[in-house]
Amino acid sequence: MDTAQSAYPGTSRRDEAPGQYETSPPGTKKPQSLQGAARRWPSVAIFLVLLIVAGIALRIFNLFLDASLWEDEIFSVALAESPLTDLLFAALRFDTHPPLYYVQLHLWAALGDSDRWYILNSTLLGIASIAAIYEACRRIFDRSVALWAGAIFAVMPLQLFFAENVRMYPMLAILEIGLWYVLQAMVTDRHASRGRLVAALCLGLAVTLTHGLGFFVAFFLFLQAAIRLRQRATGRDVLFLVATYLVVALAAVYPLVIGAIRQTEGIAGFDLPTIGIHLTLTLLGLEFPWPTVAGFLILPLVTLLPLSDPRARWIGGMLVLLPFVVLFAISLLAKPVFIYRTLGLFLPFLAISLALYADAVFRAPAIAQRMIVSAIAIVMVAGGINYTVRFEKRGYREIVAAWEARSPTDAVMMTNGPSEFWAVLRYLNNGEGRRSALDVQPPVRDGMLRIKQKLEGVGAASLGLFGRANYAQVGGRRIYPYFAEDVASGLPGFWMLNPPKADCVAVETGHDNGVSAYQNDADIALGGNRLMQCRNVGFVPKV
């Protein structure tokens, strides 16, 4: 049964092909059948409002429940607390993501620097994204669709995770929704006005410069808008839209170049259990039961069912299903990018496509479809509650405090990279060691070493892109952002944070004529972190 036809009796498809039917342009009065939806289904409207309230409440509850920062969050905070010029160079030096989010967080950091203050930034942006998707759908469609979209987006478990993490995802969601709204308004009005083109340009650039795959999202948004506008407006409008996108595409050079020389995260082969886990994380949240199969079970419900509704078809097909498939293909054929965080970039559009489908089936006599939609909403709520109850961040405050209490004032610690290093500096001795993210870095290797040599050859070494020292000193303690074998070999003992090897017996530091052997002196495990003390027990000559 065509749910859209039964839901809108008396409407005409005019000269449009199937799947292109739109509601009235933004700002015009909706048909009476649309305006009366809430009156016909007051219990549904109340239920959706309660879901929105529940989503906001869970975000606020998570803010107060756990205010620790884990590895990627430490990275964000360290960049945000650096001078603005250092921030831009540090993002270029260390990250696959462009710096726009870090600049926003830098401004936020001017008002406070506690862990909870930084998480509040994401919480408020997460709540604002619910308001953004509601308002965009209200203007493009109607209040009924807006309520569905806001409710579904509010209880998506991965959005709860994003809202309590100091990363760019809630900010990116707002920008994506804004760009979708502007482009959708062009399609609905059959005209690409100058004001909307400027807005699309600004939002497209912002999306591209906020996340390493922001250009990927912008591409699909502009692509679906250009295809639909070509079928509905003049060639001049389409030409202007394409020209606007070409300017946005120029900004994609930054993440594309950085991504080409850096390692990315994601699946690298056809591993069904791992694929299932990432789908479960995306759609049902962290810590959801049966993660290897749960994602496969819900995926067809949330992606294929909306394709049966003409209004949801373009959004669900071009902005959810197709990007998922392309991300998977890129991971298999080129570079690993298929991971729950990149799939999560398209969740706002999944929420909108589900909202359009849900609105249609609740307007039509489709009992089975209503039950499926209700089940999806309930499962998402359950996933959000499950995430809130079971998920715990792996913070660093406790482990650093334990090291400070149990180690001598001249102790030496080896960490596993910038984020762990910055975490120790953030919490050691009440944050006395905090400094610019460019001040201390491990020695550069491989491709970065060649880049450093080229920069030095043109007199650009003074930029400090590769650091001014290779360790930090807080009081008498020294902290290294890598395992400094040459330093360790001359010490009677040292500490290792989250050591890659099981114990100190496996740790060896070399000399020209032998190696130094070590044994465990202490082992501390707190907050998901492990701290191991290694003591030098003697020299083993080469045979």
Side-chain angles (χ1 to χ4, degrees):
M1 177 175 57
D2 190 335
T3 53
Q5 276 190 318
S6 60
Y8 303 100
T11 58
S12 171
R13 300 292 179 89
R14 299 182 294 276
D15 57 345
E16 299 161 2
Q20 290 181 267
Y21 177 76
E22 298 289 346
T23 57
S24 302
T28 61
K29 188 175 181 181
K30 310 296 180 186
Q32 186 62 36
S33 61
L34 300 182
Q35 292 184 336
R39 289 193 294 271
R40 291 198 305 272
W41 295 100
S43 59
V44 174
I46 293 171
F47 173 68
L48 297 178
V49 170
L50 289 176
L51 288 184
I52 293 174
V53 172
I56 294 172
L58 285 173
R59 285 162 171 78
I60 296 172
F61 181 72
N62 285 331
L63 171 67
F64 289 99
L65 185 68
D66 188 359
S68 60
L69 302 180
W70 64 292
E71 186 171 347
D72 283 359
E73 294 178 288
I74 291 289
F75 185 99
S76 299
V77 169
L79 263 63
E81 292 185 342
S82 301
L84 189 57
T85 302
D86 283 9
L87 182 161
L88 297 175
F89 282 124
L92 183 64
R93 166 69 177 87
F94 291 111
D95 205 10
T96 57
H97 299 298
L100 187 59
Y101 166 73
Y102 302 122
V103 173
Q104 178 272 144
L105 198 63
H106 175 81
L107 300 176
W108 180 263
L111 302 176
D113 64 355
S114 70
D115 290 359
R116 184 167 278 117
W117 176 254
Y118 284 111
I119 297 172
L120 178 63
N121 180 261
S122 292
T123 302
L124 293 179
L125 289 172
I127 294 172
S129 66
I130 300 173
I133 201 169
Y134 172 87
E135 184 61 17
C137 289
R138 185 190 68 81
R139 289 171 178 264
I140 294 294
F141 304 111
D142 58 66
R143 285 186 175 85
S144 179
V145 174
L147 276 176
W148 274 109
I152 293 170
F153 190 71
V155 298
M156 281 182 164
L158 191 61
Q159 293 302 323
L160 296 176
F161 173 74
F162 288 158
E164 68 162 321
N165 278 265
V166 188
R167 297 296 287 163
M168 65 284 298
Y169 298 98
M171 172 177 163
L172 183 63
I174 295 173
L175 296 173
E176 289 175 353
I177 293 165
L179 179 57
W180 171 81
Y181 166 73
V182 171
L183 295 173
Q184 188 76 11
M186 292 183 194
V187 173
T188 303
D189 286 349
R190 305 168 183 260
H191 175 54
S193 66
R194 181 182 300 176
R196 284 174 178 160
L197 288 170
V198 171
L201 174 64
C202 295
L203 288 166
L205 290 172
V207 168
T208 301
L209 296 175
T210 298
H211 189 279
L213 280 178
F215 74 91
F216 188 77
V217 180
F219 169 77
F220 282 100
L221 283 166
F222 275 94
L223 176 64
Q224 64 93 25
I227 293 173
R228 301 179 76 186
L229 200 62
R230 183 175 179 273
Q231 298 170 340
R232 301 164 62 87
T234 65
R236 181 184 177 91
D237 288 291
V238 178
L239 183 62
F240 283 148
L241 181 61
V242 171
T244 300
Y245 172 70
L246 291 178
V247 178
V248 172
L250 290 176
V253 172
Y254 181 107
L256 283 171
V257 170
I258 297 299
I261 63 175
R262 284 212 168 86
Q263 182 178 355
T264 54
E265 291 184 280
I267 65 164
F270 194 77
D271 181 351
L272 281 177
T274 303
I275 295 168
I277 288 171
H278 285 290
L279 291 174
T280 300
L281 294 175
T282 303
L283 302 172
L284 299 171
L286 285 73
E287 307 294 340
F288 197 84
W290 315 294
T292 58
V293 298
F296 286 119
L297 294 177
I298 196 170
L299 179 66
L301 295 178
V302 298
T303 58
L304 299 182
L305 277 180
L307 301 185
S308 65
D309 179 69
R311 295 186 303 167
R313 197 167 293 150
W314 274 93
I315 299 171
M318 289 290 293
L319 299 181
V320 181
L321 197 57
L322 182 59
F324 278 23
V325 172
V326 174
L327 282 171
F328 183 64
I330 292 173
S331 278
L332 292 182
L333 302 175
K335 200 172 182 68
V337 291
F338 188 91
I339 189 173
Y340 69 96
R341 291 193 295 271
T342 55
L343 296 177
L345 301 181
F346 296 91
L347 286 182
F349 314 119
L350 178 63
I352 295 172
S353 65
L354 278 172
L356 288 166
Y357 176 74
D359 180 65
V361 300
F362 270 86
R363 294 178 190 277
I367 303 300
Q369 291 95 322
R370 291 180 198 167
M371 293 178 65
I372 293 173
V373 168
S374 301
I376 291 172
I378 292 170
V379 169
M380 285 187 175
V381 172
I385 295 173
N386 176 74
Y387 161 78
T388 299
V389 171
R390 298 183 59 188
F391 179 75
E392 293 184 12
K393 285 185 183 179
R394 193 177 97 167
Y396 292 93
R397 185 189 298 274
E398 291 180 337
I399 200 75
V400 174
W403 184 60
E404 187 171 9
R406 295 184 57 172
S407 65
T409 56
D410 61 348
V412 174
M413 179 189 285
M414 311 288 181
T415 64
N416 292 301
S419 293
E420 286 191 357
F421 172 75
W422 292 329
V424 176
L425 298 187
R426 178 170 182 80
Y427 298 118
L428 184 61
N429 199 16
N430 294 319
E432 179 188 326
R434 295 189 197 183
R435 61 198 69 201
S436 166
L438 280 184
D439 276 351
V440 179
Q441 298 175 35
V444 293
R445 297 179 179 88
D446 305 326
M448 279 293 175
L449 181 59
R450 292 192 292 272
I451 294 174
K452 179 183 180 183
Q453 291 168 345
K454 290 180 180 179
L455 289 173
E456 289 174 343
V458 296
S462 60
L463 293 175
L465 185 61
F466 296 96
R468 306 178 182 100
N470 65 347
Y471 73 92
Q473 186 152 344
V474 180
R477 293 182 171 89
R478 280 185 291 160
I479 305 98
Y480 288 81
Y482 66 109
F483 181 72
E485 182 178 328
D486 55 335
V487 175
S489 63
L491 296 172
F494 56 88
W495 296 76
M496 296 179 67
L497 180 59
N498 295 318
K501 298 178 180 179
D503 53 47
C504 295
V505 175
V507 177
E508 294 181 343
T509 55
H511 301 265
D512 291 338
N513 56 350
V515 296
S516 294
Y518 298 87
Q519 71 176 24
N520 288 46
D521 244 16
D523 208 324
I524 306 170
L526 285 171
N529 294 285
R530 185 185 176 206
L531 190 58
M532 185 170 71
Q533 184 181 19
C534 297
R535 179 167 58 88
N536 191 328
V537 293
F539 180 74
V540 180
K542 287 184 177 178
V543 178

